Amino acid sequence: MGVLKVLEGDILGRIVVLNHEKMVLGRHPNCEIVIDNAAVSRRHAQFLENHGTYYVEDLQSRNGTLVNGDRIEGRTELHDADLVKVCDVLMRFHSVLPPSVDRMTKTAPSETQQFKDETARVKRPAPPRSTTELPKVEIDDSNAAVLSSLDASSVTHISLKVQPEAKLSAVLAITRALGTAIEVSDVLPRILDSLFQVFPPADQGVVLLRDADTDLMIVKAAKSRNSESSDSVRVSQTIINKAIDTGQAFLSADAGSDERFDSSQSISDLRIRSLMCAPMVGKDGTTLGVIQIDSRSSSPGFVPDDLEILIAVACQAAAVVEKAVLYERAEKLRDLERQLDFATQIQLGFLPTERPQVAGYEFFHYYEAAQSVGGDFFDYVPLPENHIAITLGDVAGKGVPAALMMARLYSDARYHLLVQQAAGKSLSALNQDVVHGGHGHRFVTYAGLILDTANHRLCLANAGHLPPLLKRADGSVDKLGVEQASLPLGVELGLQYEEVCLTLDPGDAIVLYTDGVTEATDNRQELYGTKRLIQHLSESPAGIEEVGQRLIETVEQFCDGRAQRDDICLLCFRRLPESE
């Protein structure tokens, strides 16, 4: 099992065990390896394991990832004793845990990862039992004589007068069973089994839980002491409704002999002599379900003390139900997290991992989604005769819907660029796809450039995107193609996009960006804005690497720790001066 030992940095001496196939390192608290350093990107790099071989991959980070002093592009295999550097943090990779390392000093990747590991060791809940596996439950709508009632939330102690030792022992057994239970489908039948031990007069019992989707009470467990009649359990709808509506537990006496029910044939059929029903009340006072048991024997039935015991059991059962719901939600969140993690890898796989190597030019790009996945994208598309297409787009919205649309646009845009080999024509064809794509009212801003690297001629077409900026060698900054820019993709069918062309002089640089840069806000809700962007570019150094790095740092400093609201995508390139 591979490990990382931190040699330099804020977490000096920390040992990180690479015990998962993929572990992401970054500033975001959801990363498996968290480094709280402003210079580290939110999702900076990831460590991968495949059949015993380990790799490190830079995730389009701002400051890059170094292996043995060299900045990596894409995925790089790790060998024993390799040095991995992320900003100020220097780590040595070991394919196995070094003998010199005290195994008791190993630290978990993060608190988030600790939670993942712990929950992974817990058995996942089995699917709920089908109601067809339960005895048939018949609901009776007749009234029943109520002998005693108690507020289910007011019982703070149990007074045991009849068989106190047996009842207390059974209640403790139920409590132990519920304390370790996380699967409602397993524990509810056990509750009924235990209640039948506590209450010898009990003949039949049933547990109903509220369905979150329909808000109806659904039978989740049923039991009959007499095996011959176990195929049918009958309950009183009147008592159940009263327990649900009032939050009270009820004890009813011989309903069949009550003069109010002489004309009720159903009561006679039920032959109920004594019945108890207690609601399962959650911490917030919501009734989660009910437990009902009844006796059909002519011998003395249930007494008020019994009702207190049933309430205590119902309270414990309610806690189990709430715990099971929380566990189910945690499982769903973990599943969603895994899916989003996978979607992030797919999306990053679309984006270029390496910068173009073009004689006389230098490139820089940066991408960071506001959520796990985003709608911003960029691309480099090599074309014939020393041409290269450079694109950048922004799908309206964030998250999974925007990312799905981005994935389709990425491939469609490449296709039209390869076919048309012209900025305006390819953009017009792409617009037709978006209009007919059935994306509803979702639109896309998009800037497409084609650079002739031999003649240094640049042609631009703009579909509603923020105007690219031209930074000249003398420091002046101009907006490009403002008059020729047209509507975003997907707004109007048959739109023809115009081009604007220019020649790049030595030292000229082009800056493409999305609104995640200009609409970044500080703690006073003030926007970073285009004016600040232009001023920063005019004062920044000439080198394109420094231009891009310093711009991202400036935006982060402006936000002063405020959460990123939108995806950020930045793409810059420069024609090198003749002297370089």
Side-chain angles (χ1 to χ4, degrees), residues 46 63 193 508 552:
Q46 64 181 2
N63 293 318
D193 291 341
D508 285 353
I552 297 301

Side-chain angles (χ1 to χ4, degrees), residues 422-428 446-450 459-465 468 484-486 497-500:
K425 291 182 179 180
S426 64
L427 201 53
S428 300
Y446 182 93
L449 297 80
I450 294 183
C459 291
L460 158 71
N462 191 335
H465 198 76
Q484 292 79 11
S486 189
Y497 289 89
E498 298 182 41
E499 291 184 2
V500 56

Side-chain angles (χ1 to χ4, degrees), residues 97-309:
L97 190 66
S100 59
V101 175
D102 181 1
R103 294 178 180 266
M104 296 302 291
T105 64
K106 292 186 298 182
T107 59
S110 67
E111 293 182 2
T112 302
Q113 188 59 41
Q114 283 181 329
F115 170 76
K116 293 179 181 177
D117 292 342
E118 289 299 324
T119 54
R121 288 193 289 268
V122 180
K123 180 182 178 183
R124 299 185 65 178
R129 294 175 57 188
S130 170
T131 55
T132 58
E133 300 175 7
L134 300 172
K136 181 181 178 183
V137 177
E138 300 178 13
I139 306 297
D140 172 61
D141 292 325
S142 302
N143 293 322
V146 176
L147 178 66
S148 177
S149 65
L150 285 174
D151 186 343
S153 62
S154 66
V155 176
T156 58
H157 67 281
I158 301 175
S159 58
L160 301 176
K161 298 178 181 178
V162 181
Q163 295 182 316
E165 294 182 359
K167 290 183 178 180
L168 183 58
S169 176
V171 170
L172 290 176
I174 294 175
T175 302
R176 283 195 297 270
L178 293 178
T180 58
I182 58 173
E183 299 180 15
V184 173
S185 59
D186 286 341
V187 74
L188 295 183
R190 282 189 279 165
I191 291 176
L192 290 179
D193 291 341
S194 299
L195 288 175
F196 273 47
Q197 295 177 16
V198 176
F199 305 118
D203 290 311
Q204 292 187 340
V206 64
V207 181
L208 299 91
L209 292 183
R210 188 185 299 278
D211 183 78
D213 296 327
T214 64
D215 204 39
L216 298 176
M217 288 292 171
I218 306 297
V219 176
K220 293 296 183 180
K223 180 180 176 62
S224 177
R225 190 182 297 276
N226 184 352
S227 58
E228 295 180 357
S229 61
S230 61
D231 60 337
S232 179
V233 175
R234 307 199 46 194
V235 298
S236 170
Q237 185 70 63
T238 301
I239 293 293
I240 289 175
N241 287 340
K242 284 183 179 180
I244 294 171
D245 295 339
T246 65
Q248 290 187 321
F250 293 94
L251 167 63
S252 66
D254 189 353
S257 63
D258 195 309
E259 62 181 9
R260 292 176 298 174
F261 310 125
D262 287 343
S263 61
S264 173
Q265 184 63 37
S266 61
I267 288 294
S268 177
D269 291 341
L270 282 173
R271 299 190 301 276
I272 292 178
R273 299 297 180 182
S274 185
L275 176 148
M276 290 192 299
C277 182
M280 292 183 286
V281 183
K283 291 182 179 179
D284 59 356
T286 303
T287 301
L288 306 175
V290 291
I291 301 176
Q292 177 182 305
I293 58 174
D294 66 68
S295 170
R296 303 188 180 189
S297 171
S298 59
S299 61
F302 306 119
V303 297
D305 285 354
D306 297 336
L307 189 61
E308 293 182 3
I309 295 176

Side-chain angles (χ1 to χ4, degrees), residues 22 97 286 416 565:
K22 180 178 69 63
L97 190 66
T286 303
H416 291 300
R565 297 195 313 172

Side-chain angles (χ1 to χ4, degrees), residues 466-484:
L466 297 167
L469 301 177
L470 169 62
K471 173 181 167 60
R472 298 192 183 277
D474 61 5
S476 61
V477 179
D478 297 318
K479 297 179 181 179
L480 293 179
V482 176
E483 296 181 0
Q484 292 79 11

